[in-house]
């Protein structure tokens, strides 16, 4: 049978139970991390999922939520923050992850100022045009900045609306209840 791959995008609020179960399974298998069972308790209704299918089987996934990066000297940037990037192990190395990430970059380009993520797979994203933020990193909390000197692998993707940036400058992000980056 011909191997047809398709990429579709859907908002969290429009995913049915079967979609959610399939997404959790791909993330859990790929990352070997049972915490993904709770993925949907962290996502807002307007999360944007990019879903890669082989035939009718979900094999690859990424989700975008809106966060607010702020490079020093700049206003807050509306940020497409990417999480839960995963391809089912049996389908890795066949281009699905790259297809998902390229589609994602195209979907967000007019709605956001910049995209961001944190990863241990730097080379994978570099090949897709992402760049490592080289400057110091911190979270913005109610009472000031929380430096995150041990955080590595924060990457950004420049979009048409991204201002000119110095990737050596300090980059901050709003603290969330469960995490900073
Ligand atoms: C990282 C991950 C999402 C990549 O997904 P993927 O579907 O394997 O991605 P691709 O197939 O597009 O690319 C993977 C590699 O295969 C290579 N590749 C892609 N298509 C290929 C093809 N047709 N033939 C041979 N190699 C190919 C790519 O160059 C890439 O190399 P790299 O890993 O050295 O960058 C996947 O490996 C994964 O789920 N890993 C575990 C979870 C994880 O680390 N997630 C990222 C956290 S931020």
């Amino acid at each position: 049978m011909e191997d047809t791959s398709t990429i579709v995008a859907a908002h969290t609020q429009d995913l049915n139970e079967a979609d959610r179960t399939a997404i959790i399974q791909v993330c859990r298998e790929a990352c070997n991390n049972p915490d993904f069972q709770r993925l949907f308790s962290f996502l807002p209704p307007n999360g944007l999922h990019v879903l890669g299918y082989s035939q009718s089987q979900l094999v690859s996934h990424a989700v975008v939520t809106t966060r607010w990066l702020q490079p020093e000297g700049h206003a807050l940037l509306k940020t497409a923050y990417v999480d839960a990037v995963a391809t089912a192990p049996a389908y890795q190395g066949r281009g699905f992850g790259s297809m998902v990430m390229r589609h994602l970059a195209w979907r967000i380009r007019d709605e956001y100022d910049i995209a961001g993520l944190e990863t241990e797979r730097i080379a994978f994203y570099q090949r897709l045009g992402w760049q490592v933020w080289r400057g110091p990193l911190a979270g913005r909390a109610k009472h000031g900045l929380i430096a995150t000197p041990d955080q590595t692998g924060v990457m950004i993707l420049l979009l048409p609306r991204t201002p000119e940036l110095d990737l050596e400058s300090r980059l901050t992000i709003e603290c969330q209840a469960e995490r900073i980056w």
Side-chain angles (χ1 to χ4, degrees):
M1 195 177 2
E2 195 188 330
D3 186 17
T4 40
S5 28
T6 42
I7 305 288
V8 298
H11 289 108
T12 306
Q13 64 200 1
D14 299 324
L15 295 172
N16 62 30
E17 270 314 303
D19 297 329
R20 290 171 187 235
T21 302
I23 289 168
I24 288 170
Q25 190 179 336
V26 166
C27 292
R28 284 190 64 167
E29 274 183 20
C31 305
N32 202 10
N33 182 348
D35 288 352
F36 277 107
Q37 195 62 43
R38 296 189 299 138
L39 175 66
F40 286 93
S41 63
F42 300 116
L43 293 175
N46 65 350
L48 179 71
H49 299 259
V50 181
L51 305 160
Y53 290 87
S54 172
Q55 317 292 357
S56 58
Q57 186 184 349
L58 180 73
V59 298
S60 194
H61 169 265
V63 63
V64 171
T65 56
T66 301
R67 297 194 65 189
W68 298 91
L69 286 174
Q70 187 171 33
E72 194 164 17
H74 289 270
L76 295 175
L77 300 180
K78 185 180 179 188
T79 302
Y81 203 80
V82 183
D83 284 300
V85 181
T87 298
Y91 291 85
Q92 288 178 8
R94 291 164 53 173
F96 283 101
S98 303
M99 274 192 285
V100 162
M101 290 305 297
R102 284 200 192 95
H103 186 88
L104 183 153
W106 172 73
R107 285 292 297 231
I108 60 170
R109 54 179 279 124
D110 296 327
E111 208 188 312
Y112 287 92
D113 300 324
I114 194 168
L117 56 76
E118 64 90 12
T119 185
E120 291 169 8
R121 293 287 302 263
I122 286 173
F124 170 70
Y125 294 102
Q126 270 174 335
R127 267 189 268 280
L128 294 163
W130 291 69
Q131 302 178 67
V132 175
W133 193 273
R134 299 185 294 273
L137 301 167
R140 294 189 308 276
K142 240 186 199 158
H143 303 295
L145 292 184
I146 301 173
T148 54
D150 298 332
Q151 178 67 56
T152 56
V154 169
M155 301 186 79
I156 53 125
L157 181 70
L158 304 179
L159 301 177
R161 269 172 29 190
T162 310
E164 199 165 314
L165 297 178
D166 172 8
L167 272 55
E168 308 279 350
S169 69
R170 184 170 62 198
L171 182 67
T172 66
I173 194 164
E174 85 285 4
C175 291
Q176 291 192 331
E178 306 268 348
R179 61 165 178 186
I180 296 182
W181 293 97

